[in-house]
Amino acid sequence: MVNVIGLGYIGLPTALMLAAHGVEVVGTDCDVNRISELNAGRIFFNEPGLKELFTSAVSKGIQFTSEYVRANTYIIAVPTPCDSKSKKINLSIIAAAIEYISAFCPKGAILIIESTVSPGSIEKLARSILDMKGFTVGEDIHLAHAPERVIPGNMIQELKHNPRTIGADNPAIAKSVADLYRSFCESEITLTNIRTAEMTKVAENTFRDVNIAFANELAKICRNDNINVYDVISIANKHPRVNILFPGPGVGGHCIAVDPWFLVGDYFKLANLVFAARKVNDSMPEYVLERIATIMKAEKMEDISRVGLYGLTYKADVDDVRESPTLQLLECMERHLAHGVKVYDPLIKQDMVKNQYHNLDVFLGDVDMVVIMVGHKEVIENLFKLENKILLDTHNIASALRHYSL
Ligand code: SAJ
C-alpha cells in the first residue's frame, strides 16, 4: 500500500494516478477541510482531466484522511516554501512528515520524496531524523527521490508521458520505486543516486529561468533600440541550435521562481549566472510599471486608477496565483504610491486584491488603459473588446490591435 503525504498540486494527481492504475492508495493531508472536500467529491483546483481521474481513482477505492497510515511505501509531496527575504528553503514540513512516518512505519518501508529540495537535503535532513529515531537508513528504512516534472495546465497528460528520474542510493530500491511509477508512467525512467536526482530537478527549472531571463533582457535591449523582440526571437529560433523562450511581465509560480534560489543559497560564490537571471526576472514587474508610466505620459493619461490589469494568475489557463507577476506589480505600485489600479481575471472567482472585478464588461467600462498580464484563452477570445483601449500587451497576443509591448 502507498500512503501519499500532501494532497496538493502534485500529491493529489499522483495519488489519483496510482490508484486509477490499480495501486492501493491512501492520501493524507493535514488540512481537514481539504479532506472533507475530497471525501465529498470536490477538488480544490482545476486541471484538464483531473475530474475524470478523480472519479476513476475513487471507483478503485482510494481513501482520503488527515491521518498517516501504516504502509510499505510513502510518497512525500509537501510544500518546500522559500523565505521571501532570505530566499532560504524551509524544509520543516518535509522534516515533520518524515518524523510522523518514522513513528509507525513497518521495517523496510520506502520513503519517496517528490517535493523539490536543494541538492543534499535528503541526505542531511532525512538521514539525520531517521538516525535519531533509531533506524539504519539503507537497511530497515529506505530513501528515494522522485522529483515531479509536470506542467500545470497539462499535468495529467505529462504525468503519463513525461520521462522521469528516480534517485535512490540502493539500485534495488531505485528499481522497486521505478516499478511503482511504471504503473502509470509510459515514458523512460532514469535511475540514478539521490543527490544527482536532486540536482537534476533544480537544474531543469533553473535552466528555464535563465532562458526566460535572457528573453526578458533581450526585450529590454530591443525596446532601447525600437526593435521588435518577438521578431528577433522567432527568427533566431529558426537556427537549429537556438531556442529562446519568451519575455513576460515576470516569472511566477512555485517552481521556476523558487528553485534557482536553492542553488544561489547553497552555492553563493558559484551560482553567479543563476543569481543574475533571478534578478532580471524579478525586475520585470517594476519594468512593466515603467512601461505603464511611459505609455500614460505618451497618451496624456493622468489617472492610474483608469489602468486595468487583465490577469492575476501566475500564467495562462491555471487558477494558481502563487508568486504571480500581477501580485508583484501591485506591490510595486503600492511602493510607488500608485493606488487604485483595477484588476480582473476570468479564472479567479474569489476576492484577492483591492479593486478586483468579476465582470469583464464592468471592468473595461472603468478603465482607459488595459495591461494584458496573462494570456488566458478567455483573454484571447475577448481581445476584440479591447479595440478602443490603450493597450500594453506583455504576452504578444494582441498583435492584431493597436498596442504597446514590453
Ligand atoms: N514564462 C515566461 N516566458 C516563457 C515561459 C514561461 O515568462 O517563455 C513564465 C510564465 O508566464 C510563468 C513562469 O514563467 O510566470 C513559470 O511558468 P512555466 O510554464 O515556465 O513553468 P511552471 O512553473 O508552471 O512549471 C515548471 C516546469 N518546469 C520546466 O518546464 C523545466 C514543470 O515541468 C515543473 O514540473 C514545474 O516547474 C515544477 O513543479 O517544478
Side-chain angles (χ1 to χ4, degrees), residues 9-10 116 147-153 155 158 162 201-209 211-213 215-216 244-259 278 281 284 313-316 318 320 322-325 373-375 394-395 406:
Y9 289 93
I10 298 300
T116 307
E148 55 82 16
R149 277 179 169 165
V150 291
I151 195 108
M155 280 183 166
E158 291 208 353
N162 280 359
K201 166 68 199 199
V202 175
E204 290 165 5
N205 279 354
T206 302
F207 171 77
R208 193 160 169 84
D209 196 46
N211 191 336
I212 298 169
N216 282 333
I244 309 170
L245 288 171
F246 294 98
V251 169
H254 195 63
C255 309
I256 307 276
V258 172
D259 300 353
R278 274 284 76 236
N281 289 338
M284 292 312 287
T313 62
Y314 88 87
K315 69 172 186 177
V318 299
D320 184 345
R322 290 176 298 170
E323 324 292 327
S324 136
M373 293 295 289
V374 185
T394 68
H395 281 288
L406 277 175

Side-chain angles (χ1 to χ4, degrees), residues 277-350:
R278 274 284 76 236
K279 284 202 283 189
V280 171
N281 289 338
D282 275 353
S283 76
M284 292 312 287
E286 185 92 39
Y287 178 72
V288 174
L289 181 55
E290 279 169 33
R291 292 288 298 136
I292 294 173
T294 309
I295 295 162
M296 282 177 73
K297 214 167 172 190
E299 299 277 347
K300 300 191 175 46
M301 237 188 96
E302 278 164 2
D303 184 2
I304 190 90
S305 70
R306 302 286 304 167
V307 174
L309 307 183
Y310 196 176
L312 181 54
T313 62
Y314 88 87
K315 69 172 186 177
D317 305 318
V318 299
D319 56 4
D320 184 345
V321 297
R322 290 176 298 170
E323 324 292 327
S324 136
T326 304
L327 291 176
Q328 292 170 40
L329 174 57
L330 288 169
E331 259 183 55
C332 189
M333 286 176 152
E334 285 292 319
R335 274 200 307 278
H336 288 274
L337 306 175
H339 306 297
V341 68
K342 317 272 198 275
V343 183
Y344 170 74
D345 190 307
L347 300 191
I348 302 294
K349 307 288 179 212
Q350 70 278 35

Side-chain angles (χ1 to χ4, degrees), residues 4-43:
V4 177
I5 312 295
L7 298 174
Y9 289 93
I10 298 300
L12 180 63
T14 305
L16 297 177
M17 197 56 112
L18 284 164
H21 287 81
V23 178
E24 191 187 349
V25 177
V26 175
T28 298
D29 199 288
C30 60
D31 180 342
V32 284
N33 288 333
R34 180 165 297 174
I35 295 299
S36 356
E37 288 291 292
L38 289 170
N39 281 327
R42 286 187 290 271
I43 317 172

